[in-house]
Amino acid sequence: MRILLINPNTTSSVTDLVASHVRRVAGDAAEFVPVTGRFGARYIASRAASAIAAHAALDVLAEHAEGCDAVYLACFGDPGLGALREISPLPVVGMAEASCLAATARGGRFAIVTGGALWGPMLEEFVAGLGLSDRLAAIRTIAPTGDRIARDPDAALADLAAACTTCAEKDGADVVILGGAALAGLAERIQPQVPVPVLCSVEVGTRAVLAAAICGLPPGQPAPSLASIGLSPALTERLAQE
Amino acid sequence: MRILLINPNTTSSVTDLVASHVRRVAGDAAEFVPVTGRFGARYIASRAASAIAAHAALDVLAEHAEGCDAVYLACFGDPGLGALREISPLPVVGMAEASCLAATARGGRFAIVTGGALWGPMLEEFVAGLGLSDRLAAIRTIAPTGDRIARDPDAALADLAAACTTCAEKDGADVVILGGAALAGLAERIQPQVPVPVLCSVEVGTRAVLAAAICGLPPGQPAPSLASIGLSPALTERLAQE
Amino acid sequence: MRILLINPNTTSSVTDLVASHVRRVAGDAAEFVPVTGRFGARYIASRAASAIAAHAALDVLAEHAEGCDAVYLACFGDPGLGALREISPLPVVGMAEASCLAATARGGRFAIVTGGALWGPMLEEFVAGLGLSDRLAAIRTIAPTGDRIARDPDAALADLAAACTTCAEKDGADVVILGGAALAGLAERIQPQVPVPVLCSVEVGTRAVLAAAICGLPPGQPAPSLASIGLSPALTERLAQE
Amino acid sequence: MRILLINPNTTSSVTDLVASHVRRVAGDAAEFVPVTGRFGARYIASRAASAIAAHAALDVLAEHAEGCDAVYLACFGDPGLGALREISPLPVVGMAEASCLAATARGGRFAIVTGGALWGPMLEEFVAGLGLSDRLAAIRTIAPTGDRIARDPDAALADLAAACTTCAEKDGADVVILGGAALAGLAERIQPQVPVPVLCSVEVGTRAVLAAAICGLPPGQPAPSLASIGLSPALTERLAQE
Amino acid sequence: MRILLINPNTTSSVTDLVASHVRRVAGDAAEFVPVTGRFGARYIASRAASAIAAHAALDVLAEHAEGCDAVYLACFGDPGLGALREISPLPVVGMAEASCLAATARGGRFAIVTGGALWGPMLEEFVAGLGLSDRLAAIRTIAPTGDRIARDPDAALADLAAACTTCAEKDGADVVILGGAALAGLAERIQPQVPVPVLCSVEVGTRAVLAAAICGLPPGQPAPSLASIGLSPALTERLAQE
Amino acid sequence: MRILLINPNTTSSVTDLVASHVRRVAGDAAEFVPVTGRFGARYIASRAASAIAAHAALDVLAEHAEGCDAVYLACFGDPGLGALREISPLPVVGMAEASCLAATARGGRFAIVTGGALWGPMLEEFVAGLGLSDRLAAIRTIAPTGDRIARDPDAALADLAAACTTCAEKDGADVVILGGAALAGLAERIQPQVPVPVLCSVEVGTRAVLAAAICGLPPGQPAPSLASIGLSPALTERLAQE
């Protein structure tokens, strides 16, 4: 079983970090094919960067999906998730969507903690788009963006744990999602300081994409064939398919 | 891997029907242990029957969960799901919750079609409880309850297909869940008549419980120890645990 | 006029406490027939206990409703309320529902304060099920459950008053419901410390059931006749009625 | 027990019609003091008419509340309800609010049928203001306004019954409120044609105001003293009170 | 271009204050015709005062709209806005509605800060009526009402700035509306102390009414002709028009 | 005054069509600078095409905004609107957002009619993202996409008018937005067949961008400087700015 692992930003060290954590979780249940975006922001920390990343993710999928059984979009915020599903013959799992659905299945209310202040309103809209706003207790961000946290995780642990604890104690969250590709593996490190379960978004997403690759689901409705210009040959071809 | 399959009504032929379909979907990925409720309605078709079934499901879990890796509550409507999770050391998957979350992960809006008019408002509240009302296009019921459909499926196929098609064409559903333990296997039979994908709730739930058994998730917060009277010894003991 | 007063937990001293407060409020407007649940948790402080209590309440109603004019379900959280209404020829009033509706009729937003941390998410879902989430300012719980508060009310008064005041000052509540059968009579004791009105759920429910017994309402639609096994004779018979 | 019955439009024959129906429902439980608005539209069938009626209702209350135990605002749409509560030392019951809360307490979803097309969006906002939109199945209006229906009820019965039936069969309503002071008494006449219970708003409101007069509720927070010009002496004085 | 500027309270010094600020914003783009309400509270600080102000605003419009190109209802809370639109042949802009829509068009979530505690729940309902509750981060009021703030703005600046900052830092607002006719011009004075943009409601409303006067929009549907008594001749005539 | 008019698809004849209609509406109030997307789908009729268009719109803005006073994103669905606002020093108006806000300001509920079935769920999410779902009566699409309608408008008029009428009569819309850059000018042609006002999205957006250019609004909070690769020089530079 092969799973395409899309990092839609353009920093290959983040791709490596995520891939390594994903493989640790999945064991030998599947082979992961990590690919970094060809263009766009080094790290996705704004709406503009996220919009470009959606295009970059489509570009990666069109080029690399062949021979895979499922697609794992490994950026918390899932840029382009709906669009990827539209053009993909394979099941596509987004890290943020999988985390929110898994949290919902636990009952009660969930919170999200991540790095980078702009992600606050962006994720609020993401959760609203899922239709899950009523289940969301809070979103709390700490100042450094994920890439900075990845470069020096120890410096961020106390702030992340404090934010998670505030979500539980002040916002009434029954579970907290520690969101972010670059935060892979930090949930278990802060769990001892937090009074409710902390979910690692990379880990939850990995399990969800394994389940999707194993189980599949009936395909959605095909999108119309669209002519285009100025895109990569693979993406041009994919958009033109019925 | 062993999975406890709880049929919370008291009709063992429905248990057999579900178990057989579940085993067909799961192949040899897991062994299923089907158990029928000890008390309550023959078939769950009202709020009163559903309330009693929640107790019956707790009773089954307390008696039979030992040695299992996950629990599959196989009644569309998931009576007692939150309560089961509270007292269960194992992941518990409900057929209706799993179906609604899987439908949500496809994007767009979903509908539910099932048998028995009283299930309409009951499922509406169930979806609201999940926080997914905004994603729900419609719930449509046909008159015969699931147990009657199970006894003569051919007589119901046309009505089920018509209800699903109405969900798609009139209510704008992008996918329809054919809900009901007793409707196991009918989705694929009506799919050719319906213009959008039809999900079999038994099948989606089976895949979800397999994924839960494989992947697990960090445990929730323990419920308090509670003294009780008049319950089965196993349930009395389980409630008394911290 | 006779009103069946159901205490769905299994502690008769709580039944006595509620009955005594109810009689003080109602004066000689009606005769109350208090009945304690036959099985289930000593005090309802979890989803599991509440699920079993729904069955126990149905069991009480089937056995004791005859000769009464209305039913008062005296547990804040109203376990089994919808199911009771389904099988009851009499109007059924739930303490929590009556309190939330009365608070809604005052305009502005209401809060709920009660004992026992697990009640927080349970009541949040209850209010959502009523469709009143938009009117809910907050739910705040103090640690001891209602039965402990009943055993030593003086020890809890300061915490209850503080929680109510926080609802008003921080959460913007215009009125606070002090919820819980076992908290009967405490609202008036903490009112002087709280800047907004504090409603006693036992008292509001008493008034609502008196009004229901006096005024009645056209009956709902009958539930289907359902066969069952393993239930008390009275409940078996009630479920079998059309 | 005396209850002030405010008809906020300016047609005394509507006041008489409502008063007669109210007395039939209440029997000798209370004395009703019917008062017609001093100024404003003959019948309230637009937002402008409703806005003026709110002022007229305040004017009536300031002049006539003395010596009464409760206030019944007898116009479905409850113009000025929140404002009346602010300046009233007595409990104030609105016909539409009471009907919506009573319908909510029955579980399931409710619909409203009334006369006059402009009431459709006005009542939709009213229900939204109550926070009960999620419980509302539909609002359906027939063309003639309530005053015309009152002048020739027989001509409207078939249309009212058809609208109620559509609410049940197409919109999924479990109960229908037949709203409108001028429609007093028509619910029972159309009930045989409608497959779900039809509530008469005048009747539900009467029972609610009786219950309020009997039971009372702790008072709300006092509004500030406000100076004013150009109002009736009684209203000027009432606004100036703390 | 002439714009009718309605101050629906009865204090002409507030009218003067608003008119002067409006003219400063609009320059010579339009001529403003300020009119003060003929009756009602000196300052609108309660539901009762607001209900009467709706009537007073209708009264002003009926008398003074002729020869104008647009109407500006200059009270934050927009008493009677829908009713004014119903009887007005001209576009009508409300200060609060225009501010909320402008804030919505900026993305993220907005908060409102104003004077007078009773405005809190009143504005919450106003925003709910607009359908924008999900975009509202918070409403915070300071104790003095707008007219007192207008008499001594310097005394209120620190409290207003603190409330705005709390909206940003604690409630997550991306922009704050400083609402209130009598607060004209204070936004720019507190902006330096607040970490997010502060919108002056008078200014946003002025720009919106200029745009409405320039651009127009297709007219709404006409309200029915209504007979009335006891109103000013101009309003009587206006209500009677089809 | 110069306004950048971004057509984010790649068909210059659509750009010409929109520009011509925009100029007709704006007269000589402003000079419009129309620019077509450099890459992406010929016409935007799917999520994938829309995701790429967001990038293309950012690319156009970075290259062409200099010397302009406002930006008009002329694709109904507003791909990349939030991202454009983030990187733009100028006010950015989206055609769909402006139309929905203008419709909201009219009171009641609005509907949207456009071409291309996939736009249905995409616009539903767009309106939900605005927070205006409660004000939305319906979205109805006709089969041909906007570019086909533009090539032969006469063939589509009857279907568009029928869809608008259904929105009014069946879905209860008080106003209908005819959405789509390529549908410029058709609203006035179908208005006579539709019983409620029909708004032309191109026209409403034009008026909104004129108002924004005239009035401006305080700037939002700046996005962080982001390094990137593989983008156009202008966009790379813009993302790198603080």
Side-chain angles (χ1 to χ4, degrees):
Chain A
M1 202 158 60
R2 277 165 70 92
I3 294 173
L4 175 61
L5 175 70
I6 303 179
N7 173 15
N9 71 32
T10 55
T11 299
S12 60
S13 64
V14 170
T15 315
D16 295 345
L17 170 68
V18 176
S20 131
H21 196 73
V22 162
R23 285 167 179 144
R24 183 156 75 83
V25 173
D28 49 9
E31 178 193 352
F32 283 83
V33 183
V35 182
T36 309
R38 268 200 315 122
F39 52 84
R42 283 305 187 184
Y43 197 75
I44 302 169
S46 71
R47 289 174 197 276
S50 184
I52 296 164
H55 179 187
L58 289 165
D59 184 86
V60 168
L61 184 140
E63 187 75 33
H64 298 280
E66 195 164 328
C68 291
D69 300 290
V71 179
Y72 185 7
L73 177 62
C75 166
F76 197 85
D78 303 357
L81 181 61
L84 289 164
R85 285 197 175 125
E86 213 178 49
I87 68 163
S88 169
L90 310 172
V92 183
V93 167
M95 186 180 276
E97 185 188 84
S99 298
C100 293
L101 293 177
T104 295
R106 299 172 65 90
R109 295 204 299 157
F110 67 94
I112 297 172
V113 167
T114 192
L118 289 193
W119 274 110
M122 290 162 72
L123 287 171
E124 215 165 298
E125 284 168 36
F126 177 83
V127 174
L130 269 176
L132 289 172
S133 300
D134 292 346
R135 300 296 294 275
L136 181 69
I139 296 173
R140 290 187 174 269
T141 56
I142 66 169
T145 51
D147 56 335
R148 292 199 190 165
I149 297 173
R151 283 198 293 273
D152 185 3
D154 291 343
L157 286 181
D159 282 356
L160 290 171
C164 291
T165 296
T166 307
C167 289
E169 293 182 350
K170 194 170 143 220
D171 306 319
D174 299 295
V175 62
V176 181
I177 299 165
L178 191 68
L183 275 60
L186 300 188
E188 62 193 281
R189 294 184 63 189
I190 64 171
Q191 179 69 77
Q193 277 83 56
V194 182
V196 296
V198 181
L199 304 182
C200 169
S201 66
V202 176
E203 203 172 315
V204 174
T206 303
R207 286 166 172 163
V209 78
L210 286 174
I214 295 168
C215 304
L217 270 182
Q221 291 176 282
S225 165
L226 289 178
S228 62
I229 64 168
L231 305 176
S232 75
L235 185 50
T236 304
E237 191 184 335
R238 182 75 69 176
L239 289 177
Q241 286 172 8
E242 301 249 18
Chain B
M1 204 156 59
R2 276 165 71 91
I3 294 172
L4 175 61
L5 174 70
I6 303 178
N7 173 14
N9 71 32
T10 54
T11 299
S12 60
S13 64
V14 169
T15 315
D16 295 345
L17 170 68
V18 176
S20 133
H21 196 73
V22 162
R23 285 168 179 144
R24 182 157 76 83
V25 173
D28 49 10
E31 178 194 352
F32 283 84
V33 183
V35 182
T36 309
R38 269 199 315 123
F39 52 83
R42 284 301 185 187
Y43 197 75
I44 303 168
S46 70
R47 288 174 198 276
S50 185
I52 296 164
H55 179 187
L58 290 165
D59 183 86
V60 168
L61 185 140
E63 187 74 34
H64 298 278
E66 196 165 327
C68 291
D69 301 291
V71 179
Y72 185 7
L73 178 62
C75 166
F76 198 85
D78 302 358
L81 182 60
L84 290 165
R85 285 197 175 123
E86 215 177 48
I87 68 163
S88 169
L90 311 172
V92 183
V93 166
M95 188 180 275
E97 185 188 85
S99 297
C100 293
L101 293 177
T104 296
R106 299 172 65 91
R109 295 204 297 157
F110 67 94
I112 296 172
V113 167
T114 191
L118 289 192
W119 274 110
M122 291 163 72
L123 288 171
E124 215 166 298
E125 284 167 35
F126 176 84
V127 174
L130 270 175
L132 288 172
S133 299
D134 293 346
R135 300 296 294 277
L136 181 68
I139 296 173
R140 291 187 174 268
T141 55
I142 66 169
T145 50
D147 55 337
R148 294 199 189 165
I149 296 174
R151 284 198 293 272
D152 184 4
D154 291 343
L157 286 181
D159 282 355
L160 291 170
C164 292
T165 296
T166 306
C167 289
E169 292 183 350
K170 192 169 145 224
D171 306 320
D174 299 296
V175 63
V176 181
I177 298 166
L178 191 68
L183 277 59
L186 301 189
E188 61 193 281
R189 293 184 63 191
I190 64 171
Q191 179 69 78
Q193 276 84 56
V194 182
V196 297
V198 181
L199 304 182
C200 169
S201 65
V202 178
E203 201 172 317
V204 174
T206 303
R207 284 166 174 162
V209 79
L210 286 174
I214 296 167
C215 303
L217 271 183
Q221 291 176 282
S225 165
L226 290 177
S228 62
I229 62 167
L231 306 177
S232 75
L235 185 49
T236 303
E237 189 184 336
R238 181 77 68 177
L239 288 176
Q241 286 172 9
E242 301 248 18
Chain C
M1 204 158 58
R2 278 165 70 91
I3 294 173
L4 174 62
L5 174 70
I6 303 178
N7 172 15
N9 72 31
T10 54
T11 299
S12 59
S13 64
V14 171
T15 314
D16 295 344
L17 171 67
V18 177
S20 131
H21 197 74
V22 162
R23 285 167 179 144
R24 182 158 74 85
V25 173
D28 49 9
E31 177 195 352
F32 283 84
V33 182
V35 183
T36 309
R38 270 200 313 123
F39 52 83
R42 282 303 186 185
Y43 197 76
I44 302 169
S46 70
R47 289 175 196 276
S50 184
I52 295 163
H55 178 186
L58 290 165
D59 184 85
V60 168
L61 184 139
E63 188 73 34
H64 298 279
E66 197 165 325
C68 291
D69 300 292
V71 179
Y72 184 8
L73 177 62
C75 166
F76 198 85
D78 302 356
L81 181 60
L84 289 165
R85 286 198 174 123
E86 216 176 46
I87 68 163
S88 170
L90 311 172
V92 183
V93 165
M95 185 180 278
E97 186 188 83
S99 298
C100 293
L101 293 177
T104 295
R106 299 174 64 91
R109 295 204 298 157
F110 67 94
I112 297 171
V113 167
T114 191
L118 289 192
W119 275 111
M122 290 163 74
L123 288 171
E124 215 165 298
E125 284 167 35
F126 177 83
V127 174
L130 269 176
L132 287 173
S133 299
D134 292 346
R135 299 296 293 277
L136 181 69
I139 295 173
R140 292 188 173 269
T141 55
I142 66 169
T145 51
D147 56 337
R148 295 198 188 166
I149 297 173
R151 285 198 291 272
D152 185 3
D154 290 343
L157 286 180
D159 281 356
L160 290 170
C164 291
T165 297
T166 307
C167 289
E169 292 184 348
K170 192 168 145 223
D171 306 320
D174 299 295
V175 64
V176 182
I177 298 164
L178 191 67
L183 276 59
L186 302 188
E188 61 194 279
R189 295 184 62 190
I190 64 171
Q191 179 69 76
Q193 278 84 55
V194 182
V196 297
V198 181
L199 304 182
C200 168
S201 65
V202 177
E203 200 172 317
V204 174
T206 303
R207 286 165 173 165
V209 78
L210 286 174
I214 296 168
C215 303
L217 270 182
Q221 293 176 281
S225 165
L226 289 177
S228 62
I229 62 169
L231 306 177
S232 75
L235 186 50
T236 303
E237 189 184 336
R238 182 77 69 177
L239 288 177
Q241 286 171 8
E242 301 247 20
Chain D
M1 205 158 56
R2 275 165 71 92
I3 295 173
L4 175 61
L5 174 71
I6 303 178
N7 172 16
N9 71 31
T10 54
T11 299
S12 60
S13 64
V14 170
T15 314
D16 295 344
L17 170 68
V18 176
S20 133
H21 197 75
V22 161
R23 285 168 180 145
R24 182 157 74 87
V25 173
D28 49 9
E31 177 195 354
F32 284 84
V33 182
V35 183
T36 309
R38 268 200 315 122
F39 51 84
R42 283 301 186 185
Y43 197 76
I44 303 168
S46 70
R47 289 175 196 277
S50 184
I52 295 164
H55 178 187
L58 290 164
D59 184 86
V60 169
L61 183 139
E63 188 73 34
H64 298 278
E66 196 165 327
C68 292
D69 301 291
V71 179
Y72 185 7
L73 178 62
C75 166
F76 198 85
D78 301 356
L81 181 61
L84 289 165
R85 287 199 173 121
E86 216 177 48
I87 68 163
S88 170
L90 310 172
V92 183
V93 166
M95 185 181 278
E97 186 188 84
S99 299
C100 293
L101 293 177
T104 296
R106 300 172 64 92
R109 295 203 299 157
F110 67 95
I112 297 172
V113 167
T114 191
L118 289 192
W119 274 111
M122 289 162 74
L123 287 171
E124 215 166 298
E125 283 167 36
F126 176 83
V127 174
L130 269 176
L132 288 173
S133 299
D134 294 345
R135 299 296 293 276
L136 180 69
I139 296 173
R140 291 187 174 268
T141 55
I142 66 169
T145 51
D147 56 336
R148 294 198 188 167
I149 297 173
R151 284 199 291 273
D152 184 3
D154 291 344
L157 287 180
D159 282 355
L160 290 170
C164 291
T165 297
T166 306
C167 289
E169 293 183 348
K170 191 169 146 222
D171 305 321
D174 299 295
V175 63
V176 181
I177 298 164
L178 190 68
L183 277 59
L186 301 189
E188 61 193 279
R189 293 185 63 191
I190 64 171
Q191 180 68 77
Q193 277 83 56
V194 182
V196 298
V198 181
L199 305 181
C200 169
S201 65
V202 177
E203 200 172 316
V204 174
T206 302
R207 286 165 172 164
V209 79
L210 287 174
I214 297 167
C215 304
L217 270 182
Q221 292 177 281
S225 164
L226 290 177
S228 62
I229 61 167
L231 305 177
S232 75
L235 184 51
T236 304
E237 190 184 336
R238 181 77 68 176
L239 288 176
Q241 286 172 8
E242 302 247 17
Chain E
M1 204 157 59
R2 276 166 71 92
I3 294 173
L4 175 61
L5 174 71
I6 302 177
N7 173 16
N9 71 32
T10 54
T11 300
S12 61
S13 65
V14 170
T15 314
D16 295 345
L17 171 67
V18 177
S20 133
H21 197 74
V22 161
R23 285 168 178 143
R24 184 158 73 84
V25 174
D28 50 9
E31 178 195 352
F32 284 83
V33 182
V35 182
T36 309
R38 270 200 313 124
F39 52 83
R42 283 302 187 187
Y43 196 76
I44 303 169
S46 70
R47 288 174 198 276
S50 185
I52 295 164
H55 178 186
L58 289 164
D59 184 86
V60 169
L61 185 139
E63 188 75 33
H64 298 279
E66 196 165 327
C68 292
D69 301 291
V71 178
Y72 184 8
L73 177 62
C75 166
F76 198 85
D78 302 357
L81 181 61
L84 289 163
R85 285 196 175 123
E86 214 177 48
I87 68 163
S88 170
L90 310 172
V92 182
V93 166
M95 188 181 274
E97 185 187 85
S99 298
C100 293
L101 294 177
T104 295
R106 299 173 65 92
R109 295 203 298 156
F110 67 94
I112 297 172
V113 167
T114 190
L118 289 192
W119 273 111
M122 290 163 73
L123 288 171
E124 216 166 297
E125 284 167 36
F126 176 84
V127 174
L130 269 176
L132 287 172
S133 299
D134 293 346
R135 300 296 294 276
L136 180 70
I139 296 173
R140 290 187 175 270
T141 55
I142 67 169
T145 51
D147 57 336
R148 294 198 189 166
I149 297 174
R151 284 198 292 272
D152 185 3
D154 291 343
L157 286 181
D159 282 354
L160 290 171
C164 291
T165 297
T166 307
C167 288
E169 293 183 348
K170 193 170 143 221
D171 306 320
D174 299 295
V175 63
V176 182
I177 298 165
L178 191 68
L183 276 60
L186 300 188
E188 63 193 279
R189 294 185 62 191
I190 64 171
Q191 179 69 76
Q193 278 84 56
V194 183
V196 297
V198 181
L199 304 182
C200 169
S201 66
V202 177
E203 200 172 318
V204 174
T206 303
R207 285 166 174 162
V209 77
L210 287 174
I214 296 166
C215 304
L217 271 181
Q221 292 177 281
S225 165
L226 290 177
S228 62
I229 62 168
L231 306 177
S232 75
L235 185 50
T236 304
E237 190 185 336
R238 183 75 70 177
L239 288 176
Q241 286 172 9
E242 302 249 16
Chain F
M1 204 158 59
R2 276 165 70 93
I3 294 173
L4 174 60
L5 174 71
I6 302 179
N7 172 16
N9 71 32
T10 55
T11 299
S12 60
S13 64
V14 170
T15 315
D16 295 345
L17 170 68
V18 176
S20 132
H21 196 75
V22 163
R23 285 168 179 144
R24 182 157 75 84
V25 173
D28 49 9
E31 177 194 355
F32 284 84
V33 183
V35 182
T36 310
R38 269 201 313 123
F39 51 85
R42 284 302 187 185
Y43 197 76
I44 302 169
S46 70
R47 288 175 198 276
S50 184
I52 295 164
H55 178 187
L58 289 164
D59 184 86
V60 168
L61 183 139
E63 188 74 34
H64 297 280
E66 196 164 329
C68 291
D69 300 291
V71 179
Y72 185 7
L73 177 62
C75 166
F76 197 85
D78 302 357
L81 180 62
L84 289 164
R85 286 198 174 121
E86 213 177 49
I87 69 164
S88 170
L90 310 172
V92 183
V93 167
M95 186 180 277
E97 186 187 82
S99 298
C100 293
L101 293 177
T104 294
R106 299 172 65 91
R109 295 203 298 157
F110 66 94
I112 298 172
V113 167
T114 191
L118 290 192
W119 274 111
M122 291 163 72
L123 287 171
E124 216 166 297
E125 285 168 34
F126 176 83
V127 174
L130 269 176
L132 288 173
S133 300
D134 293 346
R135 300 296 295 276
L136 180 69
I139 296 173
R140 291 187 173 269
T141 55
I142 65 169
T145 50
D147 56 336
R148 292 199 189 165
I149 297 174
R151 283 199 292 273
D152 184 3
D154 291 343
L157 286 181
D159 282 356
L160 290 170
C164 291
T165 296
T166 306
C167 289
E169 293 183 349
K170 194 169 143 220
D171 306 320
D174 300 294
V175 63
V176 182
I177 299 165
L178 190 68
L183 276 59
L186 302 188
E188 61 193 281
R189 294 184 63 190
I190 64 170
Q191 179 69 76
Q193 277 84 55
V194 182
V196 297
V198 181
L199 304 182
C200 168
S201 66
V202 176
E203 201 172 316
V204 174
T206 302
R207 286 166 172 162
V209 79
L210 286 174
I214 296 167
C215 303
L217 270 182
Q221 292 177 281
S225 164
L226 290 177
S228 62
I229 62 168
L231 305 177
S232 75
L235 185 50
T236 304
E237 190 184 336
R238 181 76 67 176
L239 289 177
Q241 286 171 10
E242 302 250 16

